[in-house]
Amino acid sequence: MNRADSFGGSCPVPLGDQPCIKLAHGGGGRLMQQLIEEVFIAAFDNAVLRGGHDGAILDLQNGRTVVTTDSFVVRPLFFPGGDIGTLAINGTVNDLAMCGAKPLFLTSSFILEEGLEIETLWRVVQSMRKAADAAGVLIVTGDTKVVERGHGDGIYINTTGIGCVDHSLFVSPPRIATGDTILVSGDIGRHGMAVMGTREGLAFTTQIESDCAPLWSTVEALLEAGLEIHCLRDATRGGLCSVLNELAQDASLQFDVVENDVPVMPNVRGACEVLGLDVLQVACEGRFVAILPKNESVLALEILKAQNEFAAMIGHVSSAQAGLVTLQTPIGSQRILDMPAGELLPRIC
Amino acid sequence: MNRADSFGGSCPVPLGDQPCIKLAHGGGGRLMQQLIEEVFIAAFDNAVLRGGHDGAILDLQNGRTVVTTDSFVVRPLFFPGGDIGTLAINGTVNDLAMCGAKPLFLTSSFILEEGLEIETLWRVVQSMRKAADAAGVLIVTGDTKVVERGHGDGIYINTTGIGCVDHSLFVSPPRIATGDTILVSGDIGRHGMAVMGTREGLAFTTQIESDCAPLWSTVEALLEAGLEIHCLRDATRGGLCSVLNELAQDASLQFDVVENDVPVMPNVRGACEVLGLDVLQVACEGRFVAILPKNESVLALEILKAQNEFAAMIGHVSSAQAGLVTLQTPIGSQRILDMPAGELLPRIC
Amino acid sequence: MKYIDEYRDPQSTRKYAEAIAQLVTRPWTIMEVCGGQTHSIVRFGIQDLLPDEIELVHGPGCPVCVTPVDMVDKAIEIASYSDVIFCSFGDMMRVPGSKSDLTRVRARGGDLRAVYTPLDAVKIAAANPQKQVVFFAVGFETTAPANAMAVYLAKKQGLKNFSVLVSHVLVPPAMKAILSSPDNTVQGFLAAGHVCTVMGTHAYTSLADTYHVPIVVTGFEPLDILQGIYMCVRQLEDGSATVENQYERAVQDDGNTQAQDLIEKVFRVIPRKWRGIGTIPESGWALSDEYSSFDAQQRFKLAEAATEEHTECLSGKVLQGLKKPADCPAFGVTCTPENPLGATMVSGEGACAAYYRYRKERVV
Amino acid sequence: MKYIDEYRDPQSTRKYAEAIAQLVTRPWTIMEVCGGQTHSIVRFGIQDLLPDEIELVHGPGCPVCVTPVDMVDKAIEIASYSDVIFCSFGDMMRVPGSKSDLTRVRARGGDLRAVYTPLDAVKIAAANPQKQVVFFAVGFETTAPANAMAVYLAKKQGLKNFSVLVSHVLVPPAMKAILSSPDNTVQGFLAAGHVCTVMGTHAYTSLADTYHVPIVVTGFEPLDILQGIYMCVRQLEDGSATVENQYERAVQDDGNTQAQDLIEKVFRVIPRKWRGIGTIPESGWALSDEYSSFDAQQRFKLAEAATEEHTECLSGKVLQGLKKPADCPAFGVTCTPENPLGATMVSGEGACAAYYRYRKERVV
Amino acid sequence: MCLAVPGEIISISGEDALTRTGQVRYGGSVREACLAFVPEAAVGDYILVHAGVAISVLQEDAAQRTFRALEDLK
Amino acid sequence: MCLAVPGEIISISGEDALTRTGQVRYGGSVREACLAFVPEAAVGDYILVHAGVAISVLQEDAAQRTFRALEDLK
Ligand code: SF4
Ligand code: SF4
Ligand SMILES: [Mg+2]
Ligand SMILES: [Mg+2]
Ligand SMILES: [Mg+2]
Ligand SMILES: [Mg+2]
Ligand SMILES: [Mg+2]
Ligand SMILES: [Mg+2]
Ligand SMILES: [Mg+2]
Ligand SMILES: [Mg+2]
Ligand SMILES: [Mg+2]
Ligand SMILES: [Mg+2]
């Protein structure tokens, strides 16, 4: 059903029979996809939004300007390898980079919970400044709201980023072509496991460090090498699994991925086995998928490896079945790699 | 003390002896001003941010592009005359208009609380679409996060707006000059009282409708008339009182305002008397202050009145004491109109 | 608004101001007793209109200002309990106790509610039977009918989860304390109109006689205050010392006898500690025996603690007319409305806050 | 990772697959009892490697799938109480009861916690003495040592605020029920390796004899499962029917006797209802008399209610090997992992969910 | 202290003397007030309300005296 | 059902048989497990852990049999 037809009518109770928003609606999986398609896109419907990429390429007077937005709500605020401040900068910088845009300016907007210690805010803000400097962006305007105790979680941050495309490539899903190689920029799953490891009842004695990092310099290196990049996408909520499914759908092509080629650190792998989690569904915050012509993939991998030695080619694009992602298992068989369902719950029994 | 000097050091416990964020830090008054100056501006320090206006004028390749951001956290979500959705669009559209920029694009980012009814979200999103259409802006990209129950308040929305300045005026506080006339675009205080009137224990039998409205068309009319607008600012949190103080400070000039000339509806006035509130401190969401040369003020008022019959000239700019706002009282005496302290609490005894 | 707008008319107020100027022959010090009057004086810049000879000093008539620190500490303790909904008039929420204030309790998770009337606190109690609902019943005589009614209704409705933390004070004993001080400089009083609306004017006759001081029962609008000052100056210049009623439209000599009946049922007179001033005999109300089961102090078994007041703060002296806010070295420096040291800097009717917000010394 | 990686080696697995193909002469239907085995089969695409003659059917060995609707409803009721912290294994939280599920209780404000071990629920109880902490003690024999230990420790620590909602089931009676069904098609079993780790293999001897069915105690890695199938097919082709142990590295014939001792102390055998299947005699554990004070059903005085199961859902038949998920008309249409109708669509080890996530029918 | 605001009674309900309430208009806004202590108050009267409770009925004629006194000043 | 994962014991603490616990390494991550039911387990042993509780000590020699059987297949 085309929800755009029903303006002004009552809500057609979308999303199955679930009258309530649940955590799964924000988990990067199918429920979230449904929510976005059936509510937000249906209501806001316009050509730029329908472009479907993480950021919007705007037709301003001259050149191509890119804008992207994200709110950050991580618990806890500080985790091994980063905090909500680093995340808020890198997350938006990375969304710009994924559009092939050089990050220029950020806005930052805070929702603070009454009772938050200013010392805590200060530490977060310092992290933001450091991350912004490292990424070469300016935070150019902002906003602050305070909500009553029990209606926030210390700090929520929205950052909106503006960047520019100063090359002639269109880096976006429709450019993906049969025969392309799929690369990943480093080992996956560290951010999600770093955060999960801070939770009561799910903690390990050893710590996993988040992979949170800015990606523009890596993308810039790819661009400067003159590579014909077809598409880039950072693997955040929903992990590599979600990104591959989204891109295969948007490109209307099949992706074939080899599980054993996906780089995973031993500590992440062990923790995932113990908690019964599929590492392909675990969030990263500093890793991306790059898709480009096969004949350029060796050079691309070389450039990626210069930044992260664990970067790897993990699969290729075919035209067999639009939107399908297959996984070659460690024992050599093939299966479907489906979109994750929603909230990542430890599977124990 | 210049906070920018102390990067990396511990938080110097700013803002008096208050180690906790309190509601007053978001109340549009001095505490919020301190928070912004001593924490955010100190940390993010750069020339564009230091411009100090609500939106940032960016030096993009060509022309002047304006970006502004705001998060919306109103309780309740629906109030007489609007909802969080209308507010989220109009608020950001208005911040662009206040920079003299034609609003073009918005981003929207949602923080949803687990347990929110999708029907509710649907209604809000519909309001946003309607308001965006009315303001002639496109929502071009977005984001959704879901937080656990007890860590949100149904819906929080961030909108970030991008607009363009297609005239040669610089509409900003430094342009304000001695002798300028201060106008207000309509009756004040309705939004704040509309929201307060929904609270248990503070409700009236009669309802006050919020003044929530987009302001670009009014600003456009002023620009098209060729008026030499010096400054515009919408009166939101902290009300007219806050805006006048901010602008007088930023312009380093004295503002002299006549209390009896400030338009207030009888229902707003009555409710303020009963609750002991100063209507000059009560929030609006569709009213602005315009400051321009005296010889253009009659024409400007005419244009404002065509949109809202209660628009009025309320004072003028002088050079007596930088940053001071004085109020001529109803009995003809003069007093200081100071910045509000923070949270607006009903004063009963 | 009728009974408001006509009392803010610039011509009328100027006429009274001119009449006062014509009348006055030498300096007079007059205290407006009530914080609401202080608020009007500064909000409307009334001092500006008066001849230099008239000095207005601001009295102890703001319940927010005179509630003692230990009572605020008790409120903070009760409000911190997890099963309590603590209701209060809005401006009581920012008054500093010895270590904290009620808004900080809220920031740490306490359930605090600003209400317009204690009757709403009773409604909240009825709607939340699993919670203890406590109302912070501060106030002068004016607020006593509302607070008495709240307790009366709670008893009538059989509410077991409602109680009040009472810190009620009485005006005439405080005026007596000021007049009997060896340092007293006050020569005439504008008595608190709304207090008299409830209790009448008789209590002031013996004060006027004993201390030979004119007392004019006065309203709250600019015209009321100017007329009150005029009447007071006329007596001072004449050398007379009687009780006059400027606020006839609202105040009967007997006061509101229906209200007095319920007050007598619900409350009993006790000695009361005033913030910054100390204990004054027979200057407060507590719950009568019949209603003592609604006493939050008993219900929560609060211990009495001797709490120290901020030594730097001169608010006690300000409240007695012995000092002006600007005499305080902390005023506007370490003590501001955002970060008040004393209660007089908190309430919109507190002398220090009123002076700070509308301070004329900065106006050229 | 040792004991994992070598059992996922492609050469070794292919060798076993080829050996099976060489061995098999006619069609055989083999049930892997345990949901964990089902998970491995679909996750590693094992069916792909097998000859067409071998049909694997998925057994009832997933506690998430077999916990009856009325027990889920009880969990939902307890979790809804405002003074309760309800702890559960993560995947139990999405199992549909008759009207709701535990994640919806959380969305309405319930305090739900996903824990990795019941021992953490005991820690949560010790840390929250003002709350009732309840653990949803579901599971087969494998989970019984952990659940028994939780209750044992809670008693030892004198915790008055900890209890367990027990829905423990036993594998051998379920296998017996499948074998004694007139519709049974299962010719050989891969018995659940981890269950046998705890309880040993003796219980299966009489089943193998009585029903003349080969039973191979099998592990969970691809190589384990292929070897288990190989051993099972060898028996089937030979016409023999004994209990064999593929999972020797983890399973002793006597099982873990220390664990059995504590289980015997804490639990007693009872008849138990299985979701979609019905009541099976002597197929479950409840708390023994000595530990009955830790029973959440008693502590919260829950009434027994006859709840209806979803009629459309074939999960009961799927669990008995009588149907495959794809036979269900709801599969992938109205029933998906995001919106499951039956428990077999919820758990990662539930046959329907496993088929849905890794469904090979869509792979060309 | 004691912010009390004059308002006009526009309706009255409740029989019992101690539970009598009224709708009271202040400028353009209306709110309920307790009328227990002003048994003589009728619709159209102006009352002084403090913390939700009427404490006095305003006397029109007495109010005029302030303005008459003003004329006497000249 | 019954996700049980093999891990290596890297340290042991607690004297009482029923409260014995160990730090167990899985790949590169370490977590505490209850060792009450594997009294024979020592540092360096691999155990199977389910829901935080060790249920079995893995037998190296028995493990080899799977691979020896594999060789016999050829
Ligand atoms: S200015 Fe502050 S410290 Fe000084 S008397 Fe007033 S309240 Fe006390
Ligand atoms: S697909 Fe769904 S409805 Fe059908 S048997 Fe499986 S769980 Fe039941
Ligand atoms: Mg984004
Ligand atoms: Mg992003
Ligand atoms: Mg992204
Ligand atoms: Mg803002
Ligand atoms: Mg919180
Ligand atoms: Mg803004
Ligand atoms: Mg704004
Ligand atoms: Mg603004
Ligand atoms: Mg996003
Ligand atoms: Mg909430």
Side-chain angles (χ1 to χ4, degrees), chain A residues 6-10, chain B residues 122 126 130:
Chain A
S6 60
F7 276 144
S10 70
Chain B
W122 181 251
Q126 292 284 63
K130 271 191 208 120

Side-chain angles (χ1 to χ4, degrees), chain C residues 31-206:
Chain C
M31 171 180 275
E32 83 279 358
V33 170
C34 179
Q37 293 165 331
T38 309
H39 190 86
S40 284
I41 288 165
V42 287
R43 175 175 170 195
F44 293 102
I46 288 172
Q47 184 82 57
D48 265 4
L49 302 179
L50 295 175
D52 292 343
E53 288 88 347
I54 306 293
E55 183 179 21
L56 294 176
V57 300
H58 312 306
C62 165
V64 168
C65 299
V66 301
T67 300
V69 172
D70 52 3
M71 200 56 90
V72 177
D73 284 348
K74 283 174 187 164
I76 288 167
E77 182 175 343
I78 295 172
S80 301
Y81 296 146
S82 65
D83 64 332
V84 165
I85 300 174
F86 195 89
C87 301
S88 167
F89 293 128
D91 34 8
M92 265 325 279
M93 288 178 57
R94 300 204 302 124
V95 180
S98 60
K99 290 182 204 70
S100 185
D101 63 46
L102 288 169
T103 63
R104 292 185 207 193
V105 173
R106 186 183 62 188
R108 284 197 304 271
D111 191 348
L112 273 277
R113 313 256 179 112
V115 294
Y116 161 65
T117 161
L119 305 180
D120 281 337
V122 176
K123 286 184 190 154
I124 289 170
N128 294 277
Q130 79 293 0
K131 292 277 191 177
Q132 282 290 325
V133 175
V134 182
F135 181 73
F136 198 1
V138 301
F140 279 84
E141 291 90 334
T142 320
T143 314
N147 288 339
M149 181 56 78
V151 176
Y152 170 84
L153 288 177
K155 182 165 194 180
K156 203 176 155 197
Q157 294 170 24
L159 291 178
K160 298 270 173 267
N161 65 327
F162 180 78
S163 59
V164 283
L165 181 64
V166 180
S167 190
H168 250 293
V169 279
L170 300 172
V171 165
M175 286 170 67
K176 187 174 170 186
I178 289 165
L179 287 167
S180 54
S181 158
D183 300 327
N184 175 51
T185 59
V186 176
Q187 296 165 302
F189 283 98
L190 307 186
H194 291 149
V195 165
C196 296
T197 297
V198 174
M199 299 307 288
T201 62
H202 301 308
Y204 302 92
T205 316
S206 71

